[in-house]
Amino acid sequence: MRFAVTILPGDGIGPEVMDVGVGIMVHVAQGYGLLLDLTTKQVGGASLDACGLPITDDTLEACYGAQAVLLGAVGGPRWEGLPHDKKPERALLRLREALGLYTNLRPARVYPALVEASSLRPEVVRDTDLLVVRELTGGIYFGKPRGYDHDHGWNTLVYTRDEVERIARVAFQQADLRRKHVTCVDKANVLESSQFWREIVHEVHRDYPHIELVDLYVDNAAMQLVRNPGQFDVLLTQNMFGDILSDVASVVTGSLGMLPSASIGDEHALYEPVHGSAPDIAGQNTANPLAMIASVAMMFATSFNLPEAAHLLEQAIEGTLSAGYRTADIATPGATVLSTSDMGAQVQEAFDHLVQTQPVSPTSGLVESE
Ligand code: NAD
């Protein structure tokens, strides 16, 4: 099998975690006999510096032509003063819109070895294993009119029936693969758009009667996420609420550097860590690459249809953490603190060890080494 992957390293720690991500992706692909055609393009601040645009048509073309896109992170203080349409972050919205990436999957899981790394108490975070299903191409981030003048600032929050139906279906289907529970997060007590959202989610739910559905206001959801995150399985929510809640979920897991994501449409998919370009630690080779590696795992499961490879990579991350290896952001007393690149090497080693000790089943897709 041959797959085209477009690589967008971006800014700050983006290229640092991308080096690790690409190294592991190529290594795992070899093990499964996949051929990857990799094309690297600039995005965000790097693209602005090179040609004055946060993303070019050439980069977009390369993404259209690929089975999957892997993105590092964009943005940084150097470009903060630019007008909104010129900011590096505009590239993300352009990509999501152009590729039709309406589903954003953000799993947040607390690895047993990291229960002490969270700023919350171990007994609170211990059983966390949730998935935020965030609508990604509608809502207030895309609604028009938007703008500001001297006396006003305005944005528009609109959802269409089709947009809500298709993301609700994704949430119920994901829940079907997990613990069969969906929490619909909205602000239906205040926003008409949320009342509309909630009613449609309940209509779609009739097709999934074996999935439990509960409603929760977003303010309560934020509070419950830090009070008792273990109660959640799938959280279904609109664009802006999902953006905020998944960052809250990062506190639970210990660091933003632990959270992967997949943005999926009908024809394209993009994988990226949830974190930003982390200008405060950029260039130091100290960033946590595990969110990037876990994003690569999601790519193997979803775009390459190799869930077993994804599972082994996740096990490799877990094994590396259990062996006491950490990056600085998740360091705990007595742990061995590694650089970004060394953490990548450790996970790759753990993956190889798992492959060698794993019996090769006919359905695994693993290529037997000589
Ligand atoms: P950030 O995620 O870059 O950093 C927040 C904090 O988390 C920082 O202290 C940072 O050091 C830490 N952190 C983040 N990722 C880490 C990792 N992998 N390892 C260790 N520590 C990590 O968020 P921010 O500081 O609010 O934003 C910085 C820039 O990134 C801004 O320009 C913002 O717009 C942009 N941003 C981009 C994306 C994206 O590309 N998808 C997402 C969020 C923010």
Side-chain angles (χ1 to χ4, degrees):
M1 290 286 273
R2 207 179 183 107
F3 291 100
V5 182
T6 298
I7 307 293
L8 307 176
D11 310 315
I13 62 167
E16 298 170 44
V17 294
M18 184 61 85
D19 277 350
V20 171
V22 169
I24 289 209
M25 178 173 67
V26 169
H27 183 77
V28 175
Q30 271 166 1
Y32 282 84
L34 299 186
L35 291 172
L36 299 182
D37 295 325
L38 305 183
T39 307
T40 302
K41 296 283 177 186
Q42 285 172 335
V43 73
S47 175
L48 272 163
D49 288 350
C51 58
L53 291 170
I55 187 161
T56 61
D57 288 344
D58 174 55
T59 299
L60 280 173
E61 281 303 318
C63 297
Y64 281 131
Q67 267 92 11
V69 178
L70 189 63
L71 188 141
V74 298
R78 252 180 351 109
W79 305 283
E80 247 158 39
L82 291 171
H84 268 276
D85 283 340
K86 282 274 172 122
K87 280 193 200 298
E89 292 78 0
R90 269 286 142 186
L92 302 176
L93 299 187
R94 246 331 278 285
L95 270 169
R96 289 166 191 169
E97 198 173 25
L99 300 178
L101 308 174
Y102 59 85
T103 295
N104 188 220
L105 302 178
R106 295 185 166 199
R109 184 175 154 220
V110 173
Y111 291 96
L114 281 192
V115 287
E116 304 284 345
S118 171
S119 53
L120 302 175
R121 288 199 311 274
E123 62 269 28
V124 172
V125 300
R126 199 178 304 277
D127 295 322
T128 305
D129 180 5
L130 60 87
L131 175 70
V132 178
V133 176
R134 167 188 170 195
E135 201 291 325
L136 202 58
T137 51
I140 200 160
Y141 289 0
F142 288 93
K144 289 186 180 130
R146 59 183 162 86
Y148 68 93
D149 59 23
H150 187 267
D151 298 314
H152 309 85
W154 60 95
N155 287 90
T156 305
L157 171 45
V158 184
Y159 269 109
T160 65
R161 170 170 286 274
D162 285 351
E163 285 173 332
V164 184
E165 277 181 7
R166 69 184 177 184
I167 195 70
R169 286 198 190 285
V170 172
F172 290 120
Q173 284 158 7
Q174 287 291 325
D176 205 15
L177 302 170
R178 297 171 48 97
R179 301 194 304 279
K180 307 199 189 316
H181 189 281
V182 171
T183 306
C184 176
V185 178
D186 59 40
K187 192 71 184 170
N189 50 344
V190 176
L191 300 175
E192 285 77 1
S193 54
S194 271
Q195 185 62 40
F196 173 75
W197 172 286
R198 184 182 283 202
E199 284 174 18
I200 293 173
V201 170
H202 280 261
E203 280 174 34
V204 174
H205 180 229
R206 288 189 208 124
D207 292 339
Y208 303 89
H210 57 296
I211 308 286
E212 196 183 340
L213 172 66
V214 297
D215 299 308
L216 203 60
Y217 296 134
V218 63
D219 37 354
N220 192 6
M223 193 257 286
Q224 295 293 338
L225 258 178
V226 289
R227 199 186 67 85
N228 178 17
Q231 70 184 288
F232 294 116
D233 180 17
V234 172
L235 287 149
L236 163 63
T237 193
Q238 58 158 284
N239 206 339
M240 185 168 70
F241 296 161
D243 191 6
I244 298 166
L245 290 182
S246 46
D247 269 26
V248 176
S250 77
V251 180
V252 176
T253 59
S255 168
L256 264 174
M258 297 300 301
L259 287 180
S261 80
S263 302
I264 299 166
D266 291 332
E267 286 163 32
H268 300 282
L270 180 148
Y271 303 85
E272 59 176 323
V274 167
H275 62 73
S277 59
D280 52 335
I281 57 165
Q284 299 171 14
N285 194 23
T286 56
N288 184 343
L290 295 180
M292 173 56 90
I293 298 173
S295 302
V296 168
M298 292 181 88
M299 181 186 287
F300 274 88
T302 308
S303 287
F304 303 160
N305 197 23
L306 277 172
E308 190 189 285
H311 181 62
L312 282 182
L313 257 184
E314 280 155 15
Q315 275 187 296
I317 293 174
E318 186 160 353
T320 303
L321 292 169
S322 299
Y325 296 109
R326 302 281 188 274
T327 41
D329 55 316
I330 49 170
T332 41
T336 310
V337 178
L338 299 179
S339 65
T340 309
S341 42
D342 286 348
M343 181 56 109
Q346 276 300 332
V347 175
Q348 188 163 313
E349 204 178 302
F351 177 84
D352 287 344
H353 181 71
L354 285 167
V355 169
Q356 277 152 20
T357 51
Q358 173 109 341
V360 179
S361 78
T363 54
S364 74
L366 270 174
V367 177
E368 264 184 285
S369 50
E370 301 292 306

Short mmCIF file of all heavy atoms in Angstrom, two decimals, residues 12-44:
data_model
loop_
_atom_site.label_atom_id
_atom_site.label_comp_id
_atom_site.label_asym_id
_atom_site.label_seq_id
_atom_site.Cartn_x
_atom_site.Cartn_y
_atom_site.Cartn_z
N GLY A 12 7.63 27.52 16.00
CA GLY A 12 7.96 27.23 17.40
C GLY A 12 8.39 25.77 17.58
O GLY A 12 9.26 25.27 16.86
N ILE A 13 7.72 25.07 18.51
CA ILE A 13 8.08 23.66 18.73
C ILE A 13 7.50 22.75 17.64
O ILE A 13 7.81 21.55 17.64
CB ILE A 13 7.62 23.14 20.11
CG1 ILE A 13 6.08 23.21 20.26
CG2 ILE A 13 8.32 23.87 21.24
CD1 ILE A 13 5.54 22.44 21.45
N GLY A 14 6.70 23.31 16.73
CA GLY A 14 6.10 22.49 15.66
C GLY A 14 7.14 21.64 14.94
O GLY A 14 7.03 20.41 14.88
N PRO A 15 8.21 22.26 14.38
CA PRO A 15 9.21 21.47 13.67
C PRO A 15 9.94 20.46 14.58
O PRO A 15 10.36 19.40 14.13
CB PRO A 15 10.20 22.54 13.17
CG PRO A 15 9.39 23.80 13.10
CD PRO A 15 8.41 23.71 14.22
N GLU A 16 10.08 20.79 15.88
CA GLU A 16 10.79 19.87 16.79
C GLU A 16 9.99 18.59 17.03
O GLU A 16 10.53 17.48 16.96
CB GLU A 16 11.07 20.57 18.13
CG GLU A 16 11.97 21.80 17.97
CD GLU A 16 12.03 22.63 19.26
OE1 GLU A 16 12.16 22.07 20.35
OE2 GLU A 16 11.94 23.87 19.16
N VAL A 17 8.68 18.76 17.30
CA VAL A 17 7.88 17.55 17.53
C VAL A 17 7.61 16.84 16.20
O VAL A 17 7.44 15.62 16.16
CB VAL A 17 6.56 17.83 18.31
CG1 VAL A 17 6.86 18.30 19.72
CG2 VAL A 17 5.67 18.84 17.61
N MET A 18 7.61 17.63 15.11
CA MET A 18 7.38 17.01 13.79
C MET A 18 8.52 16.07 13.42
O MET A 18 8.29 15.00 12.84
CB MET A 18 7.23 18.09 12.72
CG MET A 18 6.91 17.55 11.36
SD MET A 18 5.35 16.63 11.33
CE MET A 18 4.18 17.95 11.08
N ASP A 19 9.77 16.46 13.74
CA ASP A 19 10.91 15.58 13.44
C ASP A 19 10.69 14.21 14.07
O ASP A 19 10.93 13.17 13.46
CB ASP A 19 12.20 16.18 14.02
CG ASP A 19 12.78 17.21 13.07
OD1 ASP A 19 12.29 17.30 11.92
OD2 ASP A 19 13.71 17.94 13.49
N VAL A 20 10.23 14.22 15.32
CA VAL A 20 9.98 12.96 16.02
C VAL A 20 8.81 12.22 15.37
O VAL A 20 8.88 11.01 15.11
CB VAL A 20 9.67 13.23 17.52
CG1 VAL A 20 9.18 11.97 18.21
CG2 VAL A 20 10.91 13.78 18.22
N GLY A 21 7.73 12.97 15.08
CA GLY A 21 6.53 12.35 14.51
C GLY A 21 6.82 11.68 13.18
O GLY A 21 6.42 10.54 12.94
N VAL A 22 7.56 12.38 12.31
CA VAL A 22 7.84 11.82 10.98
C VAL A 22 8.75 10.60 11.11
O VAL A 22 8.54 9.57 10.46
CB VAL A 22 8.48 12.90 10.06
CG1 VAL A 22 9.01 12.27 8.79
CG2 VAL A 22 7.44 13.96 9.72
N GLY A 23 9.75 10.71 12.00
CA GLY A 23 10.66 9.57 12.20
C GLY A 23 9.89 8.32 12.60
O GLY A 23 10.09 7.23 12.04
N ILE A 24 8.99 8.47 13.54
CA ILE A 24 8.23 7.30 14.03
C ILE A 24 7.25 6.82 12.97
O ILE A 24 7.07 5.62 12.75
CB ILE A 24 7.52 7.65 15.35
CG1 ILE A 24 8.59 7.78 16.44
CG2 ILE A 24 6.41 6.67 15.69
CD1 ILE A 24 8.17 7.46 17.82
N MET A 25 6.62 7.77 12.27
CA MET A 25 5.64 7.39 11.23
C MET A 25 6.32 6.53 10.16
O MET A 25 5.80 5.48 9.77
CB MET A 25 5.07 8.67 10.61
CG MET A 25 4.09 8.43 9.51
SD MET A 25 3.31 9.97 8.98
CE MET A 25 4.68 10.81 8.25
N VAL A 26 7.49 6.97 9.72
CA VAL A 26 8.20 6.24 8.67
C VAL A 26 8.64 4.87 9.19
O VAL A 26 8.50 3.85 8.51
CB VAL A 26 9.42 7.07 8.19
CG1 VAL A 26 10.34 6.25 7.31
CG2 VAL A 26 8.94 8.32 7.45
N HIS A 27 9.10 4.84 10.43
CA HIS A 27 9.57 3.59 11.03
C HIS A 27 8.43 2.57 11.14
O HIS A 27 8.58 1.40 10.75
CB HIS A 27 10.14 3.91 12.42
CG HIS A 27 10.71 2.72 13.10
ND1 HIS A 27 11.94 2.20 12.79
CD2 HIS A 27 10.21 1.94 14.09
CE1 HIS A 27 12.17 1.14 13.56
NE2 HIS A 27 11.14 0.97 14.35
N VAL A 28 7.28 3.03 11.64
CA VAL A 28 6.14 2.12 11.81
C VAL A 28 5.63 1.68 10.44
O VAL A 28 5.31 0.50 10.23
CB VAL A 28 5.01 2.80 12.63
CG1 VAL A 28 3.77 1.91 12.70
CG2 VAL A 28 5.50 3.12 14.04
N ALA A 29 5.59 2.62 9.49
CA ALA A 29 5.11 2.28 8.14
C ALA A 29 5.97 1.17 7.54
O ALA A 29 5.45 0.22 6.94
CB ALA A 29 5.12 3.52 7.25
N GLN A 30 7.28 1.26 7.74
CA GLN A 30 8.18 0.22 7.22
C GLN A 30 7.81 -1.14 7.78
O GLN A 30 7.76 -2.14 7.07
CB GLN A 30 9.63 0.54 7.58
CG GLN A 30 10.31 1.41 6.53
CD GLN A 30 11.61 2.01 7.04
OE1 GLN A 30 12.03 1.77 8.18
NE2 GLN A 30 12.25 2.81 6.20
N GLY A 31 7.55 -1.15 9.09
CA GLY A 31 7.20 -2.41 9.76
C GLY A 31 5.95 -3.04 9.19
O GLY A 31 5.75 -4.24 9.27
N TYR A 32 5.05 -2.21 8.64
CA TYR A 32 3.79 -2.72 8.11
C TYR A 32 3.80 -2.77 6.58
O TYR A 32 2.75 -2.96 5.95
CB TYR A 32 2.63 -1.85 8.61
CG TYR A 32 2.26 -2.21 10.03
CD1 TYR A 32 2.96 -1.65 11.10
CD2 TYR A 32 1.26 -3.13 10.32
CE1 TYR A 32 2.66 -1.99 12.41
CE2 TYR A 32 0.95 -3.48 11.62
CZ TYR A 32 1.66 -2.91 12.66
OH TYR A 32 1.36 -3.26 13.94
N GLY A 33 4.98 -2.57 5.99
CA GLY A 33 5.08 -2.66 4.54
C GLY A 33 4.38 -1.54 3.79
O GLY A 33 4.00 -1.72 2.63
N LEU A 34 4.15 -0.39 4.45
CA LEU A 34 3.52 0.75 3.76
C LEU A 34 4.59 1.62 3.12
O LEU A 34 5.64 1.84 3.71
CB LEU A 34 2.76 1.65 4.74
CG LEU A 34 1.60 1.10 5.54
CD1 LEU A 34 0.94 2.24 6.30
CD2 LEU A 34 0.60 0.45 4.62
N LEU A 35 4.28 2.14 1.94
CA LEU A 35 5.17 3.11 1.32
C LEU A 35 4.56 4.49 1.50
O LEU A 35 3.38 4.69 1.17
CB LEU A 35 5.33 2.81 -0.18
CG LEU A 35 6.09 1.53 -0.49
CD1 LEU A 35 6.02 1.22 -1.98
CD2 LEU A 35 7.56 1.70 -0.07
N LEU A 36 5.32 5.41 2.06
CA LEU A 36 4.79 6.77 2.28
C LEU A 36 5.48 7.75 1.34
O LEU A 36 6.71 7.78 1.26
CB LEU A 36 5.04 7.21 3.73
CG LEU A 36 4.38 6.37 4.83
CD1 LEU A 36 4.68 6.98 6.20
CD2 LEU A 36 2.87 6.27 4.62
N ASP A 37 4.67 8.54 0.62
CA ASP A 37 5.21 9.65 -0.17
C ASP A 37 5.04 10.91 0.65
O ASP A 37 3.91 11.38 0.85
CB ASP A 37 4.43 9.80 -1.48
CG ASP A 37 4.61 8.58 -2.38
OD1 ASP A 37 5.70 8.01 -2.37
OD2 ASP A 37 3.63 8.21 -3.06
N LEU A 38 6.13 11.45 1.16
CA LEU A 38 6.05 12.61 2.05
C LEU A 38 6.36 13.90 1.28
O LEU A 38 7.34 13.96 0.54
CB LEU A 38 7.02 12.47 3.21
CG LEU A 38 6.91 11.19 4.06
CD1 LEU A 38 7.89 11.24 5.22
CD2 LEU A 38 5.49 11.02 4.58
N THR A 39 5.52 14.92 1.49
CA THR A 39 5.78 16.25 0.91
C THR A 39 5.74 17.24 2.05
O THR A 39 4.75 17.29 2.79
CB THR A 39 4.67 16.63 -0.10
OG1 THR A 39 4.55 15.57 -1.05
CG2 THR A 39 4.98 17.93 -0.79
N THR A 40 6.79 18.03 2.22
CA THR A 40 6.82 19.01 3.31
C THR A 40 6.55 20.41 2.77
O THR A 40 7.14 20.80 1.76
CB THR A 40 8.18 18.96 4.03
OG1 THR A 40 8.38 17.64 4.51
CG2 THR A 40 8.24 19.93 5.20
N LYS A 41 5.64 21.15 3.44
CA LYS A 41 5.30 22.52 3.03
C LYS A 41 5.28 23.45 4.24
O LYS A 41 5.10 22.99 5.37
CB LYS A 41 3.91 22.54 2.38
CG LYS A 41 3.81 21.75 1.09
CD LYS A 41 4.43 22.50 -0.06
CE LYS A 41 4.40 21.69 -1.34
NZ LYS A 41 5.12 22.32 -2.43
N GLN A 42 5.42 24.74 3.96
CA GLN A 42 5.38 25.71 5.05
C GLN A 42 3.95 26.12 5.36
O GLN A 42 3.10 26.17 4.48
CB GLN A 42 6.19 26.95 4.66
CG GLN A 42 7.68 26.68 4.74
CD GLN A 42 8.49 27.82 4.19
OE1 GLN A 42 8.02 28.59 3.36
NE2 GLN A 42 9.72 27.93 4.63
N VAL A 43 3.74 26.47 6.63
CA VAL A 43 2.42 26.94 7.05
C VAL A 43 2.61 27.90 8.23
O VAL A 43 3.63 27.84 8.92
CB VAL A 43 1.51 25.73 7.44
CG1 VAL A 43 1.94 25.12 8.77
CG2 VAL A 43 0.04 26.11 7.49
N GLY A 44 1.64 28.79 8.45
CA GLY A 44 1.69 29.68 9.61
C GLY A 44 2.73 30.78 9.45
O GLY A 44 2.93 31.34 8.37
#
